[in-house]
Amino acid sequence: DFEAEGLVTFRRNVGAQVAMVDESRYRHSMETLGILEGAATALAAPNLTTEDLTRARELNDRLAASLEDFDPHAFTQTNHDFHQVLFSRCPNERLMDLVGAEWERLGHLRDSTFSFVPGRARESVEEHARMLELIESGASTVEIERAARGHRQNTLASYLKSKQSDAADTDFSTNS
C-alpha cells in the first residue's frame, strides 16, 4: 500500500498526491535557497538587460495564464525558468554554483511544491511581478534580496501550513 509506505497521500477534495520525500530536508533546502537565491538575484539585478526583463515578464505572464488550467509540474518548470532569468547575470560564480546545487537538491526532494499547495501559484505570480517592479525601478540590492528571499519563504510557509492542515484533517477523520 503506497499510502502506508508514505509514497502517496490522500487529501480530501484533492485525491491522491505523491508524498514529499523528506520534509525536513525540503525545509532546509528552501531556507537555504531563499538566502542564496535572494543574494544572487540582488547581485544580478543591475546586470539584467532589457531582453532579460522582457523574458522574465513573458514567463510570469505564462505562469499567470496557466492558473486557469493548472498543471503543477508545468508551472514548476516555468517558475524555475523565471527565477533563472532573474539570477542568471549574478557575477559571483561560487554563489551561482550553490544556487544551482540547491535547485538540483530541491528537484530530488519533490516534483512540484505547487502540487501540494496549488493555491500558492497565484500568490507566486504576484510576488514575481513585485520583484520585477523592484528590479526595473532600480531598487536597492537589500530590497531586491528581501523580496526574493521572502518569496521563497512564503512558498515554504504555505507548504508547512498545508501539512498542518492535513494533519488536522487526519486527526479529525480518525476521531469521528
Side-chain angles (χ1 to χ4, degrees), residues 136-148:
E136 291 171 336
S137 72
S140 72
T141 55
V142 170
E143 289 175 285
I144 294 167
E145 182 174 358
R146 187 178 299 133

Side-chain angles (χ1 to χ4, degrees), residues 113 116-117 119-120 123 152-164:
T113 303
F116 296 99
V117 284
R120 173 72 185 126
E123 296 166 357
R152 184 71 49 207
Q153 289 170 335
N154 291 342
T155 299
L156 176 58
S158 270
Y159 171 75
L160 295 174
K161 185 177 176 184
S162 80
K163 298 315 294 174
Q164 289 173 343

Side-chain angles (χ1 to χ4, degrees), residues 1-150:
D1 176 68
F2 290 120
E3 188 174 21
E5 293 177 35
L7 301 174
V8 172
T9 58
F10 288 92
R11 292 182 63 192
R12 184 177 41 205
N13 301 324
V14 175
Q17 294 182 306
V18 176
M20 183 69 69
V21 174
D22 182 329
E23 290 184 27
S24 68
R25 287 178 54 204
Y26 171 75
R27 187 182 74 248
H28 294 154
S29 281
M30 287 290 283
E31 291 168 347
T32 302
L33 188 57
I35 294 165
L36 296 173
E37 191 178 320
T41 300
L43 290 172
N47 303 316
L48 291 171
T49 66
T50 302
E51 291 80 18
D52 294 329
L53 294 171
T54 298
R55 174 76 176 135
R57 282 215 179 276
E58 289 169 354
L59 289 165
N60 202 43
D61 289 346
R62 189 182 319 161
L63 289 169
S66 75
L67 294 173
E68 297 308 314
D69 188 21
F70 189 67
D71 174 352
H73 307 292
F75 189 93
T76 296
Q77 183 55 55
T78 305
N79 182 61
H80 181 251
D81 294 345
F82 171 85
H83 286 283
Q84 214 160 16
V85 169
L86 292 190
F87 62 71
S88 66
R89 299 214 184 259
C90 175
N92 183 321
E93 288 181 33
R94 179 67 184 132
L95 184 55
M96 291 295 290
D97 289 344
L98 292 169
V99 170
E102 279 309 313
W103 267 100
E104 187 175 328
R105 179 174 289 133
L106 204 52
H108 293 299
L109 294 175
R110 57 88 177 111
D111 186 28
S112 168
T113 303
F114 298 103
S115 63
F116 296 99
V117 284
R120 173 72 185 126
R122 186 171 305 283
E123 296 166 357
S124 185
V125 169
E126 293 167 3
E127 290 167 7
H128 290 169
R130 177 71 182 130
M131 285 189 285
L132 285 169
E133 289 169 8
L134 287 170
I135 292 167
E136 291 171 336
S137 72
S140 72
T141 55
V142 170
E143 289 175 285
I144 294 167
E145 182 174 358
R146 187 178 299 133
R149 183 187 295 193

